[in-house]
Amino acid sequence: MFPNSILGRPPFTPNHQQHNFFALSPTLYSHQQLIDAQFNFQNADLSRAVSLQQLTYGNISPIQTSTSPLFRGRKRLSDEKNLPLDGKRQRFHSPHQEPTVINQIVPLSGERRYSMPPLFHTHYVPDIVRCVPPFREISFLEPREITLPEAKDKLSQQILELFETCQQQISDLKKKELCRTQLQREIQLLFPQSRLFLVGSSLNGFGTRSSDGDLCLVVKEEPVNQKTEARHILTLVHKHFCTRLCGYIERPQLIRAKVPIVKFRDKVSCVEFDLNVNNIVGIRNTFLLRTYAYLENRVRPLVLVIKKWASHHDINDASRGTLNSYSLVLMVLHYLQTLPEPILPSLQKIYPESFSPAIQLHLVHQAPCNVPPYLSKNESSLGDLLLGFLKYYATEFDWNSQMISVREAKAIPRPDGIEWRNKYICVEEPFDGTNTARAVHEKQKFDMIKDQFLKSWHRLKNKRDLNSVLPLRAAIQKR
């Protein structure tokens, strides 16, 4: 991740870089091609090209499903009409295709010095029959082992122990990546040149063992109308999940939100997923946040404990009018940037060429390679930083007139646009400038959030025990 430093290495070795997943620029889909995708869904005929095989995820046993009926041309056997959904069309694999191979690098049991093992390589053998463009290797930013901060007090020790117990493990990430790989192959039956990206907390370094998986389906590297085009694409994907993949996917739901998604649960990995279409800013901010996550060794433990604290106090749920996890992460980064002796800089100000919103999507993953480690003179402990975070938002930050900006590394005046007017919390999205905390639109919920910052700060300041604001046993059980 950071060349020639103790914090990592470039994400790709030269002999593999030309095959990288991101190096394949997505095809631009026209309206006619969307119609063709619907035709593909209705008339997919794979009987002469592929054979049905059981799906396997590493060493996990496959789900047993009934055998799918044969297909002849574009007409199905008449008996198929009477079959249950899970017997109609299961996942197909080309006979030319080899199983996904995962690099079996895992942390040593009981090892406490390191915060996260290297990420994995996924080797994909191109499916000749389906003419999917080959990508030999996916290697997402492999940070070397990073020494965790030293805990000299009880509160800091509690934060570290919670982090080490609950942080996302390599095995958790493997499950999500394997599901992504399988789903991409299926979705490419509808949109052959599309790409499915794993984004959000699963990849940005701030995931926990219980984190859901976020997926972004990219059909073209330009905005799509989320109310019309994205919904149409997701309708086809949802229908595909319901009819042909119901043996592996359960509870698929099409949610018609501002950014529509398909929610579902993968039966093999038991992971909940949210899938959107062309929410490209989510890919960009995944790599920006990942760079921040590994820039300083106190960042990830602090973010994890604050997310757990917010969830415990019911202020971490955008669907109920409180803060989403992305806004919480930006709030932590902003706080670390605004200390008298900052722990984090603004990466977008120092390295504008690496984190510009104009960078082509297939080059976004390369940005962290250009960022050297950041050495701060601030030696505050994790316990002191947690206390300072609560105090900052309880007593110092001006909610009425200021906006949280990680891009500028400071609190800036609220814009006068309609999106910012009459909003209780304003957190700037670093790339598209929208308000990530727009879900907080009720004064009652805003007052509850402020009140929780203030109460927790007072309790923690008096007791210096994490259990006073976050029962550790309950937090660890949720992972």
Side-chain angles (χ1 to χ4, degrees):
M1 179 170 170
F2 303 109
N4 305 318
S5 78
I6 62 170
L7 295 185
R9 55 177 181 253
F12 300 100
T13 52
N15 61 330
H16 287 299
Q17 187 162 354
Q18 66 270 28
H19 301 295
N20 178 255
F21 175 88
F22 289 88
L24 299 172
S25 183
T27 299
L28 303 184
Y29 281 83
S30 65
H31 178 68
Q32 181 59 45
Q33 286 171 311
L34 293 178
I35 296 175
D36 292 342
Q38 187 162 5
F39 180 84
N40 291 341
F41 171 81
Q42 295 171 344
N43 300 283
D45 177 13
L46 303 175
S47 59
R48 297 174 186 173
V50 293
S51 61
L52 179 62
Q53 297 179 3
Q54 293 178 332
L55 175 67
T56 58
Y57 273 45
N59 296 324
I60 302 174
S61 300
I63 293 177
Q64 301 297 325
T65 59
S66 57
T67 304
S68 176
L70 296 175
F71 290 79
R72 297 197 183 113
R74 297 202 180 275
K75 295 183 179 180
R76 300 179 182 178
L77 294 178
S78 58
D79 292 341
E80 187 193 352
K81 297 177 181 177
N82 300 321
L83 288 174
L85 285 178
D86 64 347
K88 287 189 176 181
R89 177 72 63 87
Q90 306 301 332
R91 294 193 182 188
F92 288 93
H93 299 278
S94 165
H96 304 283
Q97 192 135 354
E98 296 178 7
T100 301
V101 179
I102 299 296
N103 185 7
Q104 301 294 329
I105 300 178
V106 295
L108 296 176
S109 59
E111 185 65 62
R112 295 190 65 256
R113 291 179 300 155
Y114 304 121
S115 60
M116 185 173 179
L119 295 185
F120 52 88
H121 298 276
T122 328
H123 300 280
Y124 171 76
V125 179
D127 188 328
I128 298 172
V129 176
R130 298 181 192 173
C131 300
V132 176
F135 48 96
R136 305 284 185 190
E137 181 174 330
I138 302 174
S139 173
F140 287 120
L141 299 178
E142 302 175 357
R144 288 179 184 166
E145 296 167 321
I146 301 173
T147 305
L148 286 174
E150 186 177 353
K152 297 181 179 179
D153 58 88
K154 176 183 176 180
L155 181 56
S156 299
Q157 183 68 31
Q158 289 173 320
I159 294 172
L160 276 181
E161 289 177 356
L162 181 65
F163 172 71
E164 291 179 295
T165 304
C166 297
Q167 68 167 323
Q168 179 177 262
Q169 302 295 314
I170 191 88
S171 58
D172 304 319
L173 191 52
K174 280 183 186 179
K175 292 178 182 179
K176 295 174 184 178
E177 169 58 19
L178 284 166
C179 184
R180 184 207 65 81
T181 303
Q182 296 288 341
L183 288 177
Q184 176 168 267
R185 293 169 189 166
E186 288 296 332
I187 293 173
Q188 283 174 339
L189 298 178
L190 305 178
F191 302 97
Q193 300 301 317
S194 63
R195 293 291 178 267
L196 192 61
F197 291 76
L198 186 63
V199 296
S201 62
S202 298
L203 198 59
N204 66 21
F206 297 119
T208 65
R209 302 219 64 182
S210 59
S211 294
D212 293 345
D214 294 304
L215 298 167
C216 179
L217 175 63
V218 176
V219 296
K220 57 183 179 180
E221 195 171 338
E222 61 184 40
V224 302
N225 187 309
Q226 292 292 326
K227 289 185 178 180
T228 57
E229 192 175 7
R231 286 186 184 180
H232 177 65
I233 293 168
L234 287 178
T235 298
L236 295 178
V237 172
H238 177 257
K239 194 177 296 184
H240 192 72
F241 286 0
C242 289
T243 57
R244 310 193 196 282
L245 302 181
C246 60
Y248 304 106
I249 287 176
E250 63 182 359
R251 302 197 300 267
Q253 293 178 281
L254 177 58
I255 309 296
R256 292 174 173 83
K258 182 176 181 180
V259 176
I261 60 173
V262 171
K263 295 181 70 73
F264 62 94
R265 181 177 183 270
D266 177 49
K267 291 182 181 179
V268 178
S269 65
C270 299
V271 174
E272 301 277 350
F273 285 92
D274 291 347
L275 188 155
N276 68 69
V277 173
N278 269 62
N279 186 26
I280 291 175
V281 69
I283 301 173
R284 297 187 188 280
N285 64 48
T286 293
F287 286 95
L288 174 66
L289 263 59
R290 186 170 180 83
T291 311
Y292 278 118
Y294 291 98
L295 203 59
E296 221 282 341
N297 63 2
R298 288 167 287 185
V299 176
R300 290 192 303 137
L302 186 63
V303 166
L304 184 141
V305 73
I306 288 168
K307 286 171 65 175
K308 290 286 186 182
W309 164 81
S311 179
H312 174 72
H313 292 285
D314 297 321
I315 59 171
N316 181 203
D317 189 347
S319 68
R320 297 187 177 184
T322 57
L323 293 162
N324 58 37
S325 293
Y326 182 43
S327 295
L328 278 168
V329 174
L330 293 177
M331 289 171 69
V332 177
L333 299 181
H334 167 79
Y335 162 69
L336 295 176
Q337 291 173 328
T338 56
L339 291 167
E341 188 64 59
I343 287 178
L344 292 176
S346 166
L347 292 175
Q348 288 166 288
K349 290 180 72 173
I350 299 177
Y351 307 101
E353 70 289 347
S354 297
F355 297 101
S356 166
I359 293 178
Q360 290 184 323
L361 188 60
H362 62 282
L363 301 177
V364 170
H365 73 284
Q366 297 178 1
C369 302
N370 303 320
V371 180
Y374 183 78
L375 301 177
S376 172
K377 297 179 181 178
N378 189 318
E379 298 181 354
S380 298
S381 68
L382 282 170
D384 289 337
L385 291 175
L386 176 57
L387 267 171
F389 170 83
L390 296 172
K391 180 184 179 183
Y392 177 72
Y393 288 109
T395 66
E396 298 174 16
F397 185 79
D398 185 355
W399 298 99
N400 293 322
S401 62
Q402 291 182 326
M403 176 173 69
I404 294 163
S405 176
V406 169
R407 176 181 57 87
E408 291 288 339
K410 62 182 180 180
I412 61 178
R414 287 192 184 202
D416 195 34
I418 190 170
E419 184 177 3
W420 306 94
R421 263 180 240 149
N422 302 320
K423 295 296 187 293
Y424 295 103
I425 297 179
C426 293
V427 181
E428 180 192 49
E429 209 294 321
F431 287 102
D432 67 14
T434 57
N435 184 11
T436 69
R438 58 183 173 269
V440 186
H441 55 77
E442 297 178 13
K443 189 175 187 306
Q444 179 186 2
K445 297 295 177 67
F446 172 61
D447 289 340
M448 182 178 73
I449 292 169
K450 283 200 309 180
D451 187 56
Q452 199 52 245
F453 272 98
L454 188 60
K455 286 181 178 178
S456 294
W457 172 53
H458 284 305
R459 286 184 199 145
L460 198 61
K461 180 176 63 172
N462 292 331
K463 297 189 177 181
R464 300 285 300 194
D465 183 348
L466 191 57
N467 282 291
S468 64
V469 297
L470 175 62
L472 288 174
R473 181 173 296 180
I476 289 172
Q477 285 176 349
K478 290 183 179 180
R479 291 292 181 105

